């Protein structure tokens, strides 16, 4: 079937309608685009117009059907008191953690998003992008899921020990993280007319926690948060890094519309578990194929991905972030090679 614009093509994939070619998106192209235009991360915070221009520059070449318009998915951390390291290239990282014990958690207050300067900069960038492409293309923003936010506030390694030594404390931390993210997401959804919201939960990866731990400490809180996003009329998208093959059946129970799967997860196997409940997004190898491979390598892997799903209920994308420094020729060829 043919569609009048990129957004309709994306919605067809979400509704499991047949398409002539599979829609494409990063899914996470923001920091790659900044590096491609030689815009430092700090400069993108200082100059939202410049940040938006960088995204439009890669969009012109790559013709994505959907675009990540706000990619600062860790944005609540500075407002909560964490010190972060901002490098010229790539996403910020947490330098200090603010939850040292139960009393420090009790002392934490949910920040007012309207006073979060970094968030407001991201919203200004996103609004500029939506003004240009929002009618034509599907737009979404990213934000952490509760388990990952809790790990950043406490320190991931320390929180992993807490799971065994003080599980009730972890649940209190998760409740606070969930409520914080509800406040931030409400502010974002009130501020931006996006189609979807990506919940990113890399700390819930199968490379870090077991399926049972996921079902106790990540799944319920993601379900709670997802409910508020769905109630606001947004599509819910989920990304968990690494191998989640053993918990796809648990993830499908979370109300959501799109699951972004990393390279270790077989698309065909995920489809068998999820059926037509959730659209799959992915899962080109962002390191070996996109960053280090050739255009021919990319074309071959695109065919493998599409054949795994039959091209229905599928959005072609990288398995994770398109890394800064990834050759443009390995991304812009997607648009010409997704015929079903």
């Amino acid at each position: 079937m043919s569609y009048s614009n990129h957004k309709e093509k994306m919605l067809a994939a979400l509704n499991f309608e047949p398409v002539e070619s599979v829609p494409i998106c990063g899914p996470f192209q923001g920091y790659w685009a900044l590096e491609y235009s030689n815009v430092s991360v700090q400069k993108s915070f200082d100059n939202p117009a410049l940040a938006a221009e960088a995204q439009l520059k890669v969009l012109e070449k790559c013709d994505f059907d959907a675009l990540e318009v706000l990619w600062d998915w860790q944005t609540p951390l500075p407002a909560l008191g964490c010190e972060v390291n901002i490098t010229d290239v790539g996403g910020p990282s947490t330098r200090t953690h603010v939850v040292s014990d139960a009393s420090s958690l009790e002392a934490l207050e949910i920040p007012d998003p309207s006073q979060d300067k970094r968030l407001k900069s991201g919203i200004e960038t996103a609004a500029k992008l939506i003004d240009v492409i929002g009618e034509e293309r599907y737009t979404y923003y990213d934000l952490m899921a509760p388990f990952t936010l809790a790990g950043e506030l406490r320190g991931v390694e320390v929180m992993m020990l807490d799971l065994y030594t003080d599980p009730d404390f972890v649940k209190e931390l998760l409740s606070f993280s969930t409520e914080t993210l509800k406040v931030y997401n409400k502010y974002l959804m009130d501020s931006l007319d996006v189609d979807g919201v990506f919940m990113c939960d890399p700390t819930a990866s199968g490379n870090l926690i077991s399926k049972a731990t996921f079902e106790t400490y990540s799944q319920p809180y993601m379900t709670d948060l997802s409910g508020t996003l769905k109630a606001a009329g947004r599509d819910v998208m989920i990304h968990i890094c690494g191998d989640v093959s053993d918990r796809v059946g648990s993830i499908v129970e979370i109300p959501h519309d799109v699951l972004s799967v990393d390279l270790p997860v077989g698309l065909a196997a995920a489809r068998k578990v999820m059926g037509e409940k959730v659209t799959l997004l992915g899962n080109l190898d962002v390191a070996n194929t996109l960053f280090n491979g050739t255009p021919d390598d990319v074309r071959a892997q695109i065919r493998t991905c599409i054949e795994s799903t039959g091209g229905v209920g599928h959005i072609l994308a990288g398995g994770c972030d398109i890394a800064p420094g990834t050759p443009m020729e390995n991304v812009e060829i997607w648009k010409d090679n997704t015929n079903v």
Side-chain angles (χ1 to χ4, degrees):
M1 296 178 65
S2 59
Y3 296 92
S4 62
N5 63 29
H6 298 273
K7 184 180 292 191
E8 285 191 6
K9 189 176 177 182
M10 277 288 295
L11 295 177
L14 267 65
N15 292 320
F16 284 82
E17 297 172 1
V19 292
E20 294 177 352
S21 60
V22 173
I24 60 174
C25 73
F28 311 119
Q29 89 296 322
Y31 291 109
W32 170 66
L34 294 180
E35 189 271 342
Y36 182 76
S37 290
N38 295 314
V39 176
S40 72
V41 174
Q42 186 60 55
K43 190 178 291 185
S44 75
F45 295 151
D46 296 338
N47 191 334
L50 195 61
E53 288 172 10
Q55 306 307 316
L56 293 173
K57 184 176 179 179
V58 298
L59 184 62
E60 183 177 358
K61 286 182 172 289
C62 299
D63 204 25
F64 293 127
D65 296 293
L67 192 75
E68 171 192 49
V69 295
L70 191 154
W71 50 90
D72 186 14
W73 63 284
Q74 298 170 303
T75 187
L77 292 173
L80 285 161
C82 295
E83 293 182 12
V84 298
N85 182 42
I86 298 175
T87 58
D88 286 344
V89 176
S93 58
T94 307
R95 181 183 297 162
T96 62
H97 312 287
V98 295
V99 176
S100 57
D101 52 25
S103 61
S104 60
L105 175 57
E106 291 176 3
L108 273 185
E109 295 183 359
I110 296 175
D112 178 355
S114 69
Q115 302 303 309
D116 187 333
K117 293 182 180 179
R118 198 165 110 181
L119 180 67
K120 291 174 72 174
S121 171
I123 288 173
E124 187 175 342
T125 297
K128 291 179 183 297
L129 289 167
I130 293 168
D131 282 346
V132 177
I133 67 168
E135 292 294 324
E136 172 74 10
R137 300 176 199 264
Y138 188 98
T139 59
Y140 55 94
Y141 70 77
D142 312 331
L143 206 60
M144 286 184 285
F147 190 74
T148 292
L149 176 55
E152 296 301 304
L153 293 174
R154 176 71 166 140
V156 174
E157 291 184 5
V158 178
M159 187 177 75
M160 293 299 170
L161 292 173
D162 292 336
L163 294 174
Y164 299 96
T165 61
D166 198 350
D168 289 340
F169 172 62
V170 175
K171 289 178 181 178
E172 291 176 8
L173 177 57
L174 285 164
S175 294
F176 173 82
S177 298
T178 303
E179 294 307 310
T180 297
L181 290 167
K182 285 181 182 179
V183 170
Y184 265 69
N185 274 295
K186 183 180 187 307
Y187 185 75
L188 280 161
M189 290 186 293
D190 287 346
S191 302
L192 297 171
D193 186 19
V194 291
D195 301 293
V197 177
F198 240 117
M199 288 196 293
C200 299
D201 206 5
T203 309
S205 168
N207 301 92
L208 290 175
I209 61 173
S210 69
K211 176 185 175 184
T213 299
F214 173 80
E215 291 174 344
T216 302
Y217 296 98
S218 176
Q219 181 185 356
Y221 300 92
M222 289 183 78
T223 298
D224 185 8
L225 181 57
S226 177
T228 65
L229 304 177
K230 296 288 287 182
R234 301 314 198 273
D235 294 329
V236 175
M237 311 162 88
I238 292 175
H239 178 79
I240 304 174
C241 296
D243 192 354
V244 296
S245 301
D246 67 343
R247 63 205 63 183
V248 171
S250 301
I251 296 170
V252 77
E253 296 176 2
I254 302 169
H256 71 293
D257 303 277
V258 177
L259 176 62
S260 167
V261 291
D262 208 340
L263 182 66
V265 181
L267 287 170
R271 168 65 72 236
K272 187 175 181 179
V273 175
M274 305 196 92
E276 294 190 357
K277 296 178 181 178
V278 175
T279 294
L280 290 172
L281 184 150
N283 63 348
L284 297 172
D285 184 339
V286 294
N288 296 306
T289 302
L290 295 183
F291 191 86
N292 288 315
T294 67
D296 284 343
D297 295 330
V298 178
R299 289 188 188 94
Q301 194 169 47
I302 288 172
R303 294 320 312 163
T304 298
C305 288
I306 293 175
E307 288 168 5
S308 295
T309 63
V312 178
H314 182 197
I315 302 161
L316 183 79
C320 198
D321 298 60
I322 301 176
T326 296
M328 173 58 73
E329 58 265 27
N330 283 352
V331 181
E332 65 179 334
I333 65 166
W334 300 5
K335 63 180 182 288
D336 298 320
N337 290 275
T338 64
N339 289 340
V340 176

